[in-house]
Amino acid sequence: MKKRFLYVVSGMILASPVLHAAEVSESNFKATQDRDARMEWWREARFGMFIHWGVYADLAGVYDGEEISGGGEWIMLMGKIPKAEYKKRAAEFNPTRYDPDAWVRLAKQAGMKYIVITAKHHDGFALFDSKVTDWDVVDSTLYGRDLLKPLAEACRAHGLKLGFYYSHAQDWYHPGGGAARGGHWDPAQEGDMDEYLREIAAPQVKELLTEYGDVAVLWWDFPHEMTRERTEILSPLTQLQPGIIMNDRLGKGSLSGFDTAEQRVPGTGYPYDWEACMTMNKTWGYKGYDDQWKSTGMLLEHLIDIASKGGNYLLNVGPTGAGLIPEESVVRLKEIGEWMQVYGDAVYGTTSSPFPIQEWGRCTRKVLPNGNTRLYLHVFDGQENAKIHIPILNKVQTS
Ligand code: JFZ
């Protein structure tokens, strides 16, 4: 793999706020005291691991001998698999290679500061022991043990924050759960959505927020037909974890901590907290034949590009049915970690560039306790001793 080296011209110090050579729109987003306190660790973190894992990983993108299009985690809908058939396949799920401590150590080695795992994705399958359904890893699989409890313990042991992804408005198993892209395909999915939200989604969110210790992030997904009234069934539950932050996907009227860009880096970023979630290949959930892996250089450019626009990078891994993170992901995470070991300061706790994108690369910014500003210049594909133009008027001191 041709290595693309990213040079960080180590910080340059400006003894004053940046004097713009070109107008850059300042954030007009009014932050509240409480919000800043909640978001402080998240703004410092800048980099996290997304984990898409469930019984779909065993299918690995194939059903009835046919490769099913879409993400590996969408196979039940894309393959129009009947509930009873999907449940039968799930019974074989037995991730004997699952090692949550190794997963957390790998995330930490990569320089990631938080982990968000799919506690329940659209197929309705719970990776935890839920008292309101038997459609969970304890009651419906050979494995028979809660998968989230040991992960929560490992996060606490290694000092990473833990978040849960929860698909509240798409559930292709429990009657009344939503189904996008053409809706239900099995009569056993039919039911009342309000009842589903009250009887399944709300109690499960309560289980997740009361039985796994500190939960730092609630990552709602896909506010399918989530009216204000339906949002109100779930939003009060977040008070069970006072410092928790959540994304913008709960539903109408919900207050979000951060916005989410999916599989893309926005052109200029946003004047408020935001996060880009992306895969390393093309799928969130494991597919055995998806070999379209992004290079480490490209993943690093995404990390830097996102940070230079004031965002967080939530980079996904899709473990196999056996519980292993694919080797292609492991290699990339270790290489990213080597870079972060040297240049992490140019990402952690930085804010967006004080000037527009430059053709030589990106800039991240850190305001120092003494009021000075440190700029980190990330030169992509730079030639040694190349000259670059920095559009500011300040006198600078290189360091
Ligand atoms: C959703 C899920 O459907 C997907 O499986 C994965 O979990 C991803 C992180 O989130 O995908 C989405 C959600 C929202 C949009 C697009 C894909 N959207 O708002 O355009």
Side-chain angles (χ1 to χ4, degrees):
M1 173 185 70
K2 177 177 169 298
K3 274 192 181 292
R4 297 180 66 188
F5 290 96
L6 303 161
Y7 296 96
V8 176
V9 174
S10 73
M12 62 176 29
I13 305 286
L14 315 177
S16 64
V18 176
L19 306 171
H20 294 300
E23 238 346 90
V24 172
S25 67
E26 285 301 319
S27 159
N28 56 10
F29 181 73
K30 294 280 173 285
T32 63
Q33 187 123 31
D34 165 65
R35 178 196 180 90
D36 286 340
R38 282 171 188 251
M39 299 304 292
E40 188 180 356
W41 74 264
W42 192 85
R43 292 168 181 164
E44 173 64 30
R46 285 287 171 252
F47 189 29
M49 177 184 273
F50 213 170
I51 303 175
H52 275 71
W53 197 32
V55 293
Y56 45 75
D58 252 352
L59 296 171
V62 176
Y63 176 61
D64 262 354
E66 193 189 325
E67 290 184 358
I68 304 297
S69 66
E73 72 288 356
W74 272 75
I75 192 167
M76 186 184 176
L77 181 142
M78 300 303 283
K80 294 289 182 273
I81 305 174
K83 261 180 64 171
E85 172 62 19
Y86 195 75
K87 187 168 173 73
K88 201 162 78 179
R89 298 300 299 270
E92 298 154 22
F93 184 69
N94 186 23
T96 53
R97 306 293 300 277
Y98 177 47
D99 181 349
D101 194 73
W103 288 12
V104 174
R105 280 185 284 107
L106 176 62
K108 189 167 185 175
Q109 183 179 353
M112 294 162 154
K113 300 293 184 184
Y114 61 109
I115 288 176
V116 178
I117 186 167
T118 54
K120 191 203 83 170
H121 205 268
H122 305 333
D123 60 2
F125 178 78
L127 271 62
F128 59 99
D129 183 14
S130 174
K131 301 292 179 289
V132 296
T133 181
D134 69 355
W135 182 227
D136 65 23
V137 65
V138 171
D139 302 310
S140 288
T141 74
L142 197 55
Y143 188 74
R145 299 195 301 280
D146 189 308
L147 293 164
L148 299 187
K149 277 228 174 358
L151 183 69
E153 285 156 16
C155 283
R156 276 192 291 275
H158 296 288
L160 266 68
K161 297 273 188 186
L162 175 64
F164 292 134
Y165 164 114
Y166 189 82
S167 174
H168 58 293
Q170 278 224 74
D171 184 318
W172 305 327
Y173 185 88
H174 296 99
R181 288 197 211 169
H184 296 134
W185 60 92
D186 181 331
Q189 294 169 318
E190 297 306 331
D192 178 84
M193 184 166 179
D194 295 319
E195 191 176 320
Y196 160 77
L197 288 170
R198 277 193 295 276
E199 305 301 321
I200 300 292
Q204 285 191 332
V205 169
K206 183 174 179 182
E207 288 172 328
L208 289 169
L209 297 185
T210 54
E211 297 174 15
Y212 295 86
D214 286 343
V215 178
V217 181
L218 196 44
W219 216 96
W220 303 103
D221 195 17
F222 226 105
H224 180 70
E225 299 179 1
M226 284 300 288
T227 60
R228 283 181 185 281
E229 293 71 28
R230 287 175 171 166
T231 300
E232 266 314 296
I233 296 172
L234 298 174
S235 51
L237 294 169
T238 55
Q239 289 156 32
L240 291 166
Q241 287 272 348
I244 201 166
I245 56 177
M246 59 187 196
N247 68 359
D248 60 340
R249 293 185 180 183
L250 172 55
K252 279 196 174 55
S254 78
L255 281 178
S256 80
F258 58 92
D259 274 29
T260 47
E262 176 136 349
Q263 294 286 39
R264 63 188 178 87
V265 182
T268 57
Y270 307 116
Y272 40 76
D273 294 298
W274 64 278
E275 176 186 77
C277 56
M278 301 175 88
T279 55
M280 284 197 211
N281 49 8
K282 291 287 186 187
T283 178
W284 299 99
Y286 180 68
K287 288 179 91 171
Y289 50 87
D290 180 337
D291 54 7
Q292 301 175 73
W293 298 95
K294 300 176 183 91
S295 68
T296 301
M298 177 174 281
L299 297 173
L300 277 169
E301 280 194 22
H302 287 162
L303 172 67
I304 293 161
D305 193 8
I306 291 162
S308 77
K309 293 164 182 170
N312 279 28
Y313 188 30
L314 190 63
L315 181 56
N316 185 71
V317 295
T320 64
L324 291 173
I325 293 176
E327 189 54 24
E328 294 86 348
S329 297
V330 171
V331 166
R332 284 158 178 78
L333 288 170
K334 287 180 175 175
E335 289 181 336
I336 291 170
E338 286 165 16
W339 187 88
M340 289 295 273
Q341 279 285 339
V342 179
Y343 297 118
D345 273 357
V347 172
Y348 299 131
T350 60
T351 56
S352 51
S353 170
F355 43 74
I357 282 178
Q358 302 297 301
E359 80 290 339
W360 44 260
R362 298 292 183 270
C363 170
T364 51
R365 158 173 42 172
K366 198 174 280 188
V367 178
L368 303 176
N370 63 7
N372 288 347
T373 297
R374 169 166 287 153
L375 298 184
Y376 298 92
L377 309 179
H378 305 259
V379 182
F380 292 167
D381 275 351
Q383 306 305 320
E384 294 281 353
N385 307 319
K387 288 194 183 335
I388 59 175
H389 170 67
I390 302 160
I392 56 174
L393 304 174
N394 305 63
K395 283 175 74 59
V396 300
Q397 158 203 342
T398 55
S399 68

